[in-house]
Amino acid sequence: MTETQNHQRKHLVLLFSLAVGMFGFAYALVPLYQVFCEVTGLNGKTSGRPADPVTISDTLVVASDREVTIQFLAIVGNGMPWEFRPEKHQLRVRLGEINTIDYYARNRANQAVTGQAVPSVAPGAAAKYLHKIECFCFSQQHLEAGEDRYMPLRFYIGVDLPEEIHTLSLSYTLFKVPEVQVAALVDKQS
Amino acid sequence: MVVQAQDIPHRSSLLAYIARWLLTTNHKEIGTLYLCLSFTLFFIAGAMAMVIRLELFQPGIQFAQPLFYNQMVTMHGLLMVFGVVMPAFVGLANWQIPLMIGAPDMALPRLNNFSFWILPFAFTLLISTLFMEGGAPNFGWTFYAPLSTTYGPPSTDFFILAIHMMGISSVLGAINVIVTIFNLRTPGMTLMKMPLFVWTWLITAFLLIMVMPVLAGVVTMMLTDRHFGTSFFSATGGGDPVMFQHIFWFFGHPEVYILILPGFGIASQIIPTFARKKLFGYHSMVFATIAIAILSFVVWGHHMFTTGMPLVGELFFMYATMLIAVPTGVKVFNWVATMWRGSMTFETPMLFALGFVILFTIGGFSGLMLALVPADFQYHDTFFVVAHFHYVLYPGAIFGTMAAVYYWLPKWTGHMYDERLGKIHFWTAVIAVNLTFFPMHFSGLAGMPRRIVDYSLQFADFNMVSSIGAGLLGLTQILFLYIVIKTIRGGEKASAHVWEGAEGLEWTVPSPAPLHTFETPPPFPVIMDNSERTQLDE
Amino acid sequence: MANRLRNRLTFAILCSFSYTTYAAEYDLREGVTEMSQRIQALHHLSLGVCVVVGIIVFGAMFYSIFAHRRSRHPRPADFHESTLVEVVWTAIPILILAALAIPATTTLIDIEDNSDADLTILITASQWKWHYQYLEADIGFYSNLTTPMAQINNLEPKGENYLLEVDNPLVLPTNKKVRFLTTSNDVIHSWWVPDFAVKQDAIPGYINEAWTRVSEPGLYRGQCTELCGKGHAYMPVVVHVRPETEFDKWIDDQRLARELASGQAVADRNKEWSIGELMLIGEQVFLSHCSTCHEADGMGQGSTYPALAGGNIPTGPLSAHIDRVMNGKAGTEMQSWAPQLSDRELAAVITYERNAWGNASADVIQPKTIYAAR
């Protein structure tokens, strides 16, 4: 093989690998994006996991006098036949103090429906200071036809919440989980 | 077009003719194929623009129902971006890069053939979606989730396949360009002695390899969201519609530089020729282009300022986007300095190149205005943005392509185009382009959103003027087609050198260029034979 | 001397007159908030910079085209580089950009300060209308386009506020900081009021914050600014800003209206409605809400918007039909109408769909049936 052909082959392999690598990079952007959001809390996403029990007792010991307002919102996705609302629209809470609030859900339809509540916090920067001990958003909620339920949310706001935040808004958007995914979940559990 | 009688066997059967074009590995013929495909799709996508402008001529719904209108808007964008501008630039690359670097052909001729022939299938598939149940894609060429994932019509999956096919074509073509440029330059042509058109294509090819796969990734995620139970972009499953925008625009912003950099290269070839003066600041031009390419990777967020981005993100993207104005400005200043104290004549290629510089710069100005986030809150998703990108794309990419076609057509065909008709084309196009797109700045500032089939009364006058301009613009394309065909079929014989001020290896071969050129590497720097110059007086 | 002064004054007056009459049409509006005014100023600044740079650059080009054309300048110069010049024309643009970045940054920082609002409104976008919920006052309503199809289809002359009029505008008080939380329950939309310079995407599953403070009462109109399907052009935003006392009274009126509506609903479900009454109301409801997708003649548009005339659901089991209309179909544009329409309206439209266009089911659905299905 001539020197040029050798070079060409090398370049070809390199460039093709670059292309394939960038395709992988597109997929890598997905976890990268999640990590970036979690680390910076910039997306308003709360973590989908319950708060660490050890942390709870630490923050309770140093509960502050500072109070903030937290507003509760409920949005029902299109085609989701549930009534869905928080029992209170807002609470005045102290940082570090554990509070509980119920969200009420009722399935209006005449068949069982499974829903998934997706949380979002505004301002986005406050999200990582909202620690949820127990939340109906951690798992799918299943209601039979006509069934209703009160779903609790137990949370506290970290004492390290930045000074400039005085009001938080926490919304849950309730989406219908397609039967296919529900069936898969049931199969997995049985 | 480039037929030399001795080059093909004398079997004039239809089958032989078809086989020749299907199987050719010759860079000139493949270049021609790309340019013909591009021109055909230009008329199809242009017809869709006519439908859009005809519907928007007056408020109310005249004949295009909203769903159909949204399909027209979407397909117009997809075809223009992927079917017109990109194949046209690849066609020009195929024709010109080997000629400009003194290579006999592209490094990978069979790959070249494959890269082209994917495209007719891809575009047939894409256009056929118009006739499918549910209609063609109707969610804008930017196909945001969840409109495109959950709510897209059945044809969306075919759209995804077509995108994959186009992406593969682009990536393979780009690999070919890079391998060719790195390996097949004639001895003596170091990288910093290459013509600027070759430089801009080298950089464009790297951009293509880096971002087309990201586009492939995002449409694959769309596909699995639609059919295979994933939730990349759906909040229900823990996904994020905004993440779609991040990944899409990570591709999308470098993509728009892909759509303009070869145009910059073309201007850098044409202006020195007709100013009879070397390009000013060759090194600067190269570094500026590289700077633009690198910066293009870190500005994608400027398409997303209203999505609820945190302040620090908004500031970062604002500053980075403003920064791109600097190397772009440097390029414009260098073109002007090339003109300065030159000795200019204004044949059609020069007219289009100068029109490119002026009107693209106007598009650049609206781009700078859009970069300022608070102001962008009023401009985003209005016709101000539509004005901006049509100024950089039409007088930018399209005028650049037309300039290149007029410039190199004598070399390709051996005939001079009709200069009088070329000038008529230019001047009517300039008037039409400004009539069509300038009022869009005003309708956007007045509050007219994008992608709407119908609008309230205060936008009516601006829209009427735009629609009249668009009609005129459509007519100029027919004139252009006529000029091109006329030149292919005959005209004043062109010399090898064609343009008095032209420099470069492509001007040392006869016009029309023989099917096989530079089968041995030519000497470089070029020794021009003065007796071959064509004097073109005004 | 006096003559020249008078001429200059006249010229200046004419210029400013033409500016105010013509520029208003062509300029970005000043708006009615501090932020919209600062944004307009920023717009003028960047436009001014671009115009000046354009004049210089294009001026140089046109001069060169004139002075350095071959007939005038037969011998081209041979300079083709200068490091000094490159540095200068790199540095000067950077300085100009910095000058633009400063007001842009300060304005942005103020815009992104959503704290300490006086009231909060949750704006939920859907295909193709807005829902406004006042968090503190606990009232909420839908806001639909009211421009008649006859105007859109050019059968009637278009009204002054063509495509920018709604049944229930958002009502806000003057001089209060209002915080908007935007979200969507289907695809991405975007809420924009140009006079406030507030534009915020409404993204399903997420809430975004924005704020405004308006000092001038009035009606302000905007539109959805993110492609959201076939009705994207048909979901305007109308905000009625009222002095504070009027606003407070309006809130009370809304609460009263809600009570009256539930009183009315009780009366509705205690009554036995005739098919004639229901068909009349049902046709109105159908034309206002359903015909954009299912067509006035019930023929629909392909499989995306199924035909109701002879369709499976209107001629099939009643319970499935009621379920579909009340609860919509997830993943499609068929909405849940239960939150948006009253028992009477739902009963009427379902009765209409089951008896119109040759669907001769003779079913009569009473409001109390709907109430039971909620």
Side-chain angles (χ1 to χ4, degrees), chain B residues 59-62 65-67 70 74 133-134 138-140 144-147 150-151 154 235 238-242 245 275-284 305-309 311 314-315 318-319 322-323 325-326 329-330 332-334 336-337 339-346 354 357-359 361-362 365-366 368-369 372-382 384 442 444-459 461-462 500 535-538, chain C residues 25-29 36 39 42-43 46-47 49-51 53-54 57-58 60-66 68-71 73-82 85-86 89-90 93-94 96-98 100-101 103-105 107-109 111-112 127 151-154 158-164 185-188 190 192-206 208 223-234 295 301-305 330-333:
Chain B
I61 296 189
Q62 276 71 43
Q65 291 300 319
L67 210 53
N70 289 350
T74 305
E133 174 70 59
N138 54 20
F139 28 68
Y144 281 4
L147 186 62
T150 314
Y151 295 82
D240 186 349
V242 177
Q245 295 183 36
R276 294 164 179 75
K277 192 160 155 287
K278 274 190 162 42
L279 181 68
F280 188 91
Y282 176 92
H283 285 74
S284 268
F305 285 142
T306 59
T307 56
M309 200 188 292
L311 177 65
E314 290 175 329
L315 289 173
M318 175 166 79
Y319 300 145
M322 291 171 80
L323 213 55
V326 176
V330 163
V332 173
F333 302 142
N334 276 279
V336 178
M339 293 164 68
W340 195 261
R341 290 180 52 212
S343 182
M344 288 185 280
T345 51
F346 301 98
L354 293 178
V357 174
I358 295 175
L359 298 175
T361 302
I362 293 179
F365 287 148
S366 55
L368 178 61
M369 294 169 74
L372 304 175
V373 182
D376 183 64
F377 288 151
Q378 295 282 59
Y379 308 142
H380 174 70
D381 234 291
T382 67
F384 191 81
F442 301 128
L445 290 178
M448 181 175 173
R450 282 176 77 169
R451 296 168 166 168
I452 53 174
V453 62
D454 192 4
Y455 51 81
S456 44
L457 302 179
Q458 70 264 36
F459 309 126
D461 292 341
F462 296 130
E500 181 188 24
Q535 301 285 68
L536 281 169
D537 292 304
E538 269 219 298
Chain C
E25 268 181 60
Y26 295 94
D27 195 9
L28 181 68
R29 68 187 75 187
S36 67
I39 288 174
L42 187 60
H43 166 77
S46 64
L47 182 59
V49 164
C50 292
V51 167
V53 172
V57 175
F58 301 152
M61 283 182 77
F62 287 126
Y63 175 75
S64 183
I65 287 172
F66 170 71
H68 304 139
R69 61 205 299 123
R70 188 161 69 162
S71 48
H73 196 257
R75 289 235 307 273
D78 62 9
F79 64 86
H80 56 266
E81 60 187 0
S82 162
V85 155
E86 300 281 2
W89 67 37
T90 305
I94 291 180
I96 296 175
L97 290 176
L100 282 175
T105 304
T107 307
L108 186 60
I109 290 174
I111 290 176
E112 297 293 357
Q127 289 172 318
Q151 286 186 24
I152 294 175
N153 290 321
N154 308 305
K158 296 174 173 53
E160 189 193 338
N161 291 311
Y162 177 71
L163 296 192
L164 291 177
N185 75 359
D186 43 37
V187 298
I188 301 181
S190 189
W192 183 37
V193 181
D195 285 300
F196 301 168
V198 171
K199 181 183 290 159
Q200 192 78 251
D201 284 1
I203 301 169
Y206 293 88
N208 276 336
Q223 291 185 258
C224 175
T225 39
E226 184 61 60
L227 178 62
C228 52
K230 74 198 263 300
H232 172 51
Y234 300 114
E295 299 294 322
Q301 300 174 48
S303 61
T304 323
Y305 308 109
T332 70
E333 291 160 28

Side-chain angles (χ1 to χ4, degrees), chain B residues 141-156:
Chain B
W141 88 274
T142 53
F143 55 100
Y144 281 4
L147 186 62
S148 59
T149 46
T150 314
Y151 295 82
S155 62
T156 306

Side-chain angles (χ1 to χ4, degrees), chain A residues 152-170:
Chain A
L153 163 67
R154 287 189 81 211
F155 69 96
Y156 67 94
I157 301 176
V159 293
D160 46 351
L161 181 76
E163 269 302 309
E164 59 269 15
I165 299 178
H166 308 147
T167 308
L168 280 80
S169 304
L170 170 64

Side-chain angles (χ1 to χ4, degrees), chain A residues 176-188:
Chain A
K176 186 171 177 193
V177 178
E179 280 78 42
V180 175
Q181 290 184 11
V182 178
L185 200 66
V186 167
D187 279 340
K188 259 203 314 196

